[in-house]
Amino acid sequence: MIRIDGDQLTRELEALAGFSDAPAPAVTRVVFSETDAKARAWFKAQCAAAGLAVREDAVGNTFARYAGSDSSLPAVATGSHIDAIPHAGRYDGTVGVLGGLEAIRAIQRAGIRPRRSIELIQFTSEEPTRFGIGCLGSRLMCGSRDAKSGTSLKDKEDRTLDEVRAAAGFAGSLETVRLARGHYAAFLELHIEQGPLLERAGIPLGLVTAIAAPATMRVTIEGEGGHAGAVLMPDRRDAFLAAAEIALAVEAAAKGTGAIDSVGTCGLCDIFPGAVNSIPSRVRMDLDIRDIDEARREKMLEQIARASDEIAARRKVKITRETLNADPPCTCDTRALAALRGAAQKHDLKFQEMVSRAYHDSLFMSRIAPTAMVFIPCRGGVSHRPDEYASPEAIAQGALVLAEALAELAA
Ligand code: GLV
Ligand code: MN
Ligand code: MN
């Protein structure tokens, strides 16, 4: 009988939330920060305490393995991320990592020695905070981002990924991060829904059939700076005003498709030189554009590009655009989904099939392994906020279904 120790899982989520650069209840844990390093060390210690064999790759993806009886077979994997965007909550990603750990311990406690090994993965930088693109670890793992272009990534301080990861103790070529298709027999990810549908329906589990296609466009605007009092309005080429118009163009593009699945956000806007009495001369903004329909997402990107050309000409500013990522959506694997469905049915837990509008490492793992996700409800659908909350019961149910499905796929 597989049983989840919900108390231990709750205590571990609490402990991990303590590694934060923001005061509680907010959690900020940016990849390769000192706080991230402490959280990683703590996490590895928990894995070691469970008797798992821990290894790390060159970008800091962490693997903790419960050895199966037949080491010649590809393992079954699960996992998620522990990095957290600025002022986030404590459940995004961590539920999948610590829930995965508890799922493996529950399998061990039940006396099950699977044929296939079960591997827990803690993916590096699922969040785009530091290097501008999300799912860095899983992207490199599946080869969607090659090692060479991975090496060229820089953070806001102009430090390269290579520099930053080396300082965090992760050396070696990024080439070695890549895993072949077939390396894993299956990959499952447990995550909070980050939306309101399960809670509204009073249903404890969501089986994710597809993940929406994300894209990030970086826009740099160069205008002309000057004195906020002395330069007259007709003479200005204010970079921020062009940026403001672009932000509105993003909204118009997303609303303009008429589809509820089209979304666009401008959540990052750096103004230079950044003084109240100085006209912005340069702005860098990152735009997040998504849709479950890739062609429609592409149309939004094109519409935003056209709008920014028009704004540049009219405002006499220079605008450059760079697509940081434009990923296809993914369809989850039928057999992996069936394992989750069977596990839910075994425990009489209701579920509904759904699409994930947020992206996850599963989006990339699906390229090298049969992949599926299970969602649990979170209060009010709130996520990427300090008041993010999932109940211990909901988390334990998710971990239970994950454990059953892992045991089934590894049998
Ligand atoms: C993941 O954090 C996302 O932005 O979807
Ligand atoms: Mn997130
Ligand atoms: Mn997440």
Side-chain angles (χ1 to χ4, degrees):
M1 197 51 178
I2 294 179
R3 283 181 208 281
I4 295 299
D5 184 343
D7 291 340
Q8 179 167 7
L9 183 46
T10 302
R11 279 195 303 275
E12 286 175 338
L13 283 163
E14 170 95 36
L16 183 50
F19 298 101
S20 169
D21 286 321
V27 176
T28 298
R29 202 162 44 237
V30 176
V31 68
F32 300 142
S33 59
E34 269 178 44
T35 303
D36 176 56
K38 285 180 194 153
R40 284 168 177 269
W42 173 86
F43 167 66
K44 284 185 284 178
Q46 305 309 111
C47 293
L52 307 183
V54 178
R55 79 173 178 94
E56 291 165 312
D57 69 14
V59 79
N61 290 317
T62 309
F63 306 81
R65 177 173 279 234
Y66 175 32
S69 58
D70 188 346
S71 60
S72 70
L73 293 175
V76 170
T78 188
S80 197
H81 60 101
I82 65 166
D83 65 325
I85 65 163
H87 281 259
R90 67 164 64 159
Y91 301 95
D92 174 5
T94 56
V95 161
V97 174
L98 296 176
L101 174 59
E102 175 53 22
I104 293 175
R105 285 188 303 234
I107 292 169
Q108 293 172 330
R109 285 195 301 269
I112 298 168
R113 177 87 196 278
R115 253 178 91 216
R116 295 178 187 279
S117 298
I118 302 179
E119 195 154 272
L120 174 64
I121 311 175
Q122 186 276 112
F123 294 97
T124 285
S125 197
E126 191 268 352
E127 301 291 6
T129 314
R130 185 153 191 176
F131 292 103
I133 55 162
C135 299
L136 183 56
S138 49
R139 254 176 219 282
L140 288 163
M141 205 180 277
C142 81
S144 144
R145 181 111 200 173
D146 63 28
K148 203 157 145 267
S149 66
T151 301
S152 66
L153 289 170
K154 284 185 179 168
D155 69 8
K156 237 167 92 180
E157 273 76 52
D158 237 24
R159 295 181 71 200
T160 64
L161 171 60
D162 276 357
E163 230 180 300
V164 174
R165 72 186 169 96
F170 302 106
S173 161
L174 286 182
E175 308 274 358
T176 57
V177 174
R178 186 157 184 180
L179 297 177
R181 173 171 271 282
H183 181 87
Y184 290 116
F187 177 76
L188 301 179
E189 182 171 4
L190 166 66
H191 206 282
I192 57 168
E193 183 199 341
Q194 304 182 286
L197 302 182
L198 292 174
E199 187 186 58
R200 276 188 202 156
I203 291 180
L205 299 168
L207 302 192
V208 176
T209 53
I211 304 177
T216 315
M217 187 193 273
R218 175 160 292 173
V219 180
T220 310
I221 304 157
E222 288 167 74
E224 193 173 26
H227 195 286
V231 180
L232 300 177
M233 296 310 279
D235 299 333
R236 294 191 184 196
R237 296 192 300 120
D238 184 322
F240 175 70
L241 294 181
E245 283 204 54
I246 292 174
L248 293 176
V250 170
E251 185 191 33
K255 286 188 165 171
T257 70
I260 198 74
D261 293 322
S262 308
V263 287
T265 307
C266 171
L268 195 71
C269 184
D270 276 341
I271 301 179
F272 184 84
V276 67
N277 55 353
S278 178
I279 299 164
S281 62
R282 192 171 71 236
V283 168
R284 194 191 85 174
M285 67 204 295
D286 282 3
L287 311 176
D288 180 307
I289 318 292
R290 312 188 197 195
D291 202 308
I292 190 70
D293 181 325
E294 188 179 8
R296 206 161 51 203
R297 200 265 327 268
E298 288 304 293
K299 280 201 188 120
M300 283 193 275
L301 289 172
E302 286 158 20
Q303 187 178 330
I304 294 162
R306 277 197 306 276
S308 78
D309 284 343
E310 185 277 317
I311 293 161
R314 180 163 41 78
R315 289 192 169 270
K316 299 186 174 56
V317 295
K318 184 174 168 218
I319 298 183
T320 46
R321 295 181 300 268
E322 186 189 353
T323 302
L324 300 187
N325 67 288
D327 306 298
C330 90
T331 308
C332 291
D333 177 72
T334 341
R335 209 171 73 83
L337 275 169
L340 290 168
R341 197 178 298 117
Q345 282 161 343
K346 180 172 174 183
H347 291 276
D348 267 335
L349 292 166
K350 277 201 186 150
F351 57 86
Q352 75 176 43
E353 295 196 343
M354 58 198 306
V355 159
S356 172
R357 294 190 170 78
Y359 58 69
H360 303 283
D361 292 300
S362 287
L363 181 64
F364 295 94
M365 290 307 282
S366 69
R367 300 182 186 195
I368 55 166
T371 294
M373 291 190 76
V374 55
F375 277 172
I376 54 162
C378 54
R379 188 175 60 201
V382 165
S383 184
H384 283 184
R385 270 168 44 179
D387 55 341
E388 181 178 87
Y389 177 77
S391 72
E393 298 71 37
I395 295 169
Q397 283 172 340
L400 176 62
V401 164
L402 177 67
E404 293 279 8
L406 287 172
E408 157 81 20
L409 291 166

